[in-house]
Amino acid sequence: EAQVTQNPRYLITVTGKKLTVTCSQNMNHEYMSWYRQDPGLGLRQIYYSMNVEVTDKGDVPEGYKVSRKEKRNFPLILESPSPNQTSLYFCASSYSGGAADTQYFGPGTRLTVL
Amino acid sequence: QQPVQSPQAVILREGEDAVINCSSSKALYSVHWYRQKHGEAPVFLMILLKGGEQKGHEKISASFNEKKQQSSLYLTASQLSYSGTYFCGTEGAGGGADGLTFGKGTHLIIQP
């Protein structure tokens, strides 16, 4: 089944403790992206990747890092999480990131930083 | 720059029609529409490309006016299953696959 998976689905952590949220897709998509969703603000892009070893900042990149060492994986790293990073995070992928490409979303990761 | 969606929320009776609008201040190449149920991932509805086309999907259709940089989503004879939050995502006409910029969403509640 074609899908985007994220792990963990739920995470509660404390300020400053490094964490990684994994994202994997099995559709051989070149383009992958991370969004955060906060009430009243919609989906805001954090980082995106056009292909292996190619990443770029989205609208809200501060406090996040990403890497794209393999085509299928695009982990999101929070080196020193803070409470304002408490949010619902979605990973998405599409064939090439082109304007006509459908983005497929993962199930989401709900992160709480205490 | 986020596109602006209107209305922010709408409550309808089953069988009524709804229109959700999405406006951008920049030239657009495409508009994507998604629906999200509470606690779930956004689900793709349709894409409209530059060219002013209109698309339909059963009782859900959309239009794209590239000159006005606007898109509208039409839900006719709404069903209970249509409840959720609708997002438009826009891709600028400048090219470059930097991804979609999403609006803040429109909450749609369908009552029996």
Side-chain angles (χ1 to χ4, degrees), chain B residues 44-65:
Chain B
F44 169 77
L45 292 176
M46 65 187 75
I47 294 173
L48 298 104
L49 299 178
K50 183 178 173 180
E53 65 177 286
Q54 184 153 350
K55 276 196 169 183
H57 176 66
E58 295 182 343
K59 295 180 181 177
I60 300 175
S61 62
S63 63
F64 178 25
N65 186 325

Side-chain angles (χ1 to χ4, degrees), chain A residues 69-80:
Chain A
K69 293 184 171 55
E70 305 168 281
K71 198 172 187 179
R72 63 183 295 129
N73 297 322
F74 190 44
L76 179 70
I77 303 156
L78 284 73
E79 295 269 2
S80 184

Side-chain angles (χ1 to χ4, degrees), chain A residues 34-65:
Chain A
W34 275 103
Y35 296 90
R36 63 177 288 174
Q37 185 174 31
D38 302 289
L41 297 180
L43 291 152
R44 295 180 293 167
Q45 190 181 52
I46 303 170
Y47 269 94
Y48 65 95
S49 170
M50 293 293 296
N51 213 326
V52 175
E53 302 293 359
V54 180
T55 64
D56 209 344
K57 296 178 181 179
D59 297 319
V60 288
E62 293 77 21
Y64 304 95
K65 285 176 58 177

